[in-house]
Amino acid sequence: MDTTATHENDNDEDDINPVTMILPDEQNDNDAKRFSTVQPPQQHYVRSIDSTVVIRQLPSQGLSFQLWPAATTLVTLLDHHRCDPSNSPLSSTLLDQRRSLNILELGSGTGLVGIAAAATLGANVTVTDLPHVITNLQFNAEANAAVLAANGGTVHVAPLRWGEADDVNLIGRDFDLVLASDVVYHDHLYEPLLETLRLLLLVDRKGQSQSQTEKKETETVFVMAHLKRWKKDSVFFKKARKLFHVEVLHVDRPSQGSRVGVVVYSFARKPQSLNSALANVSLT
C-alpha cells in the first residue's frame, strides 16, 4: 500500500506544534511546570511476552528524555508481530527468525523501542543517541535486564551522531534491521540522518560502496515510525527516495483530538542505488 502522497504532500495542512504533538495529554498544562517535573517510571505491558517494560523519563533534560507517540506504535507492532507474525506489517522485514537478529536503533531517546524489540524478538539490539542521552539509555536498559534475559534479548548502548562515518565504523554494519521513531523533525538533521542510513544500508561491512551486481551478505532494512508535524517533512522523503525504495508498512488512525496518525515506513536499497555513483549521490 503506497499512501505516501496522502501523508507527505498535504501542503494545505497547517504546521503542527511539535511539543503539543509529543505531549498530547499535556496541551493545557503549564509547559514550564511540565518540563521541570520528574515523572515516575512508565510501565508498558507487552502482552506477547506477558511482561512489563519500565522506562524512566527525565522531562527537565529535554525532548530526548521523553517518550514520543510514534515509539508506542512501533512497540505495539512488535508486540503484535510476536503474537501473529503471519499477519504482521513487519513480517516482510523480519523474515529470518531462525537466528537472533542484530538490530540498531537510531535516536533511541528513552530506549523503549529498542528494549521492546530485544524482548519480543529475542534480538541483539544496539540503542544509540547523542552522548548526553547515553546515561539514561543505559539506566533503562539495566532496569529491564530481567525481562530481556527471560526472553533471550540483549541491549547494548552506544553513542552515535548522525552523519559521522567514524561513529558508524565504531558500531559496525552487521545489522539486519535499523529502527527509529519520530526522528524527522529538525530539517538541519535531514541530510546527516540520510548519510547515516546510506552508510548502514548501501555500504558493505568493509566500508566500501557496492556495485550494482554486488549484494550485502544480509540486506539491511530501515523501519521508521513517523508522526508528521511540519509541511517540510516532505523534503526528507524526497531526498530519501533518491537513495532508497520507500514503502508504507502501516498507518495508525489519528488518536482522539489529533489530525494526523503515525505512519510506519520501510527504507530498502533499490538496484540502481547500489553502484558507486548513486551510493554517493548528493542529497541537495
Side-chain angles (χ1 to χ4, degrees):
M1 174 178 60
D2 189 358
T3 57
T4 51
T6 301
H7 297 278
E8 295 164 27
N9 300 318
D10 186 3
N11 292 325
D12 294 329
E13 182 178 316
D14 293 336
D15 284 343
I16 298 167
N17 184 325
V19 174
T20 57
M21 290 303 294
I22 293 167
L23 308 168
D25 295 331
E26 308 292 337
Q27 292 183 23
N28 297 319
D29 287 359
N30 180 281
D31 284 342
K33 179 180 179 181
R34 167 67 175 79
F35 276 80
S36 65
T37 302
V38 176
Q39 292 185 326
Q42 283 200 356
Q43 297 186 350
H44 301 265
Y45 178 69
V46 184
R47 182 171 62 91
S48 62
I49 57 173
D50 192 22
S51 299
T52 299
V53 173
V54 179
I55 295 296
R56 181 179 72 176
Q57 299 185 82
L58 300 173
S60 63
Q61 301 299 311
L63 295 177
S64 295
F65 297 82
Q66 299 173 78
L67 288 171
W68 292 38
T72 57
T73 292
L74 272 187
V75 171
T76 299
L77 289 181
L78 288 163
D79 192 13
H80 290 171
H81 179 84
R82 169 83 178 232
C83 292
D84 189 6
S86 62
N87 291 312
S88 165
L90 301 178
S91 60
S92 61
T93 64
L94 299 172
L95 293 175
D96 189 359
Q97 289 287 266
R98 295 168 295 178
R99 61 180 178 82
S100 295
L101 295 175
N102 293 320
I103 297 175
L104 174 68
E105 186 186 10
L106 302 177
S108 300
T110 63
L112 173 62
V113 171
I115 293 167
T120 57
L121 301 174
N124 305 310
V125 178
T126 301
V127 293
T128 66
D129 212 307
L130 292 172
H132 73 282
V133 184
I134 295 302
T135 299
N136 195 53
L137 261 178
Q138 188 68 52
F139 178 93
N140 284 333
E142 293 174 357
N144 293 283
V147 171
L148 293 168
N151 291 281
T154 62
V155 172
H156 307 281
V157 180
L160 192 153
R161 297 164 298 169
W162 297 344
E164 297 292 334
D166 288 345
D167 286 16
V168 174
N169 291 336
L170 285 173
I171 289 175
R173 296 178 174 83
D174 188 18
F175 297 106
D176 306 294
L177 178 67
V178 180
L179 293 174
S181 58
D182 274 321
V183 291
V184 178
Y185 51 97
H186 288 316
D187 54 357
H188 71 276
L189 295 177
Y190 291 175
E191 291 192 26
L193 174 56
L194 287 167
E195 173 61 11
T196 291
L197 292 174
R198 185 190 71 82
L199 292 169
L200 290 167
L201 274 62
L202 302 181
V203 175
D204 67 23
R205 293 171 186 177
K206 296 180 181 179
Q208 301 296 315
S209 296
Q210 295 171 293
S211 71
Q212 191 167 1
T213 58
E214 293 174 329
K215 292 186 67 176
K216 292 179 69 174
E217 298 89 335
T218 300
E219 292 300 330
T220 306
V221 176
F222 175 52
V223 172
M224 179 183 77
H226 175 65
L227 179 61
K228 179 181 177 182
R229 295 179 175 84
W230 310 105
K231 297 172 185 176
K232 63 189 177 185
D233 291 1
S234 60
V235 174
F236 172 83
F237 290 94
K238 182 179 179 180
K239 291 175 179 288
R241 285 189 172 86
K242 292 183 178 182
L243 291 173
F244 308 108
H245 172 67
V246 181
E247 182 182 1
V248 174
L249 298 179
H250 173 79
V251 179
D252 266 354
R253 293 182 177 180
S255 59
Q256 187 174 3
S258 299
R259 288 180 293 167
V260 294
V262 174
V263 183
V264 179
Y265 299 88
S266 69
F267 291 47
R269 70 177 184 92
K270 49 186 178 180
Q272 61 266 37
S273 67
L274 288 182
N275 58 52
S276 298
L278 285 182
N280 294 285
V281 68
S282 171
L283 297 171
T284 57

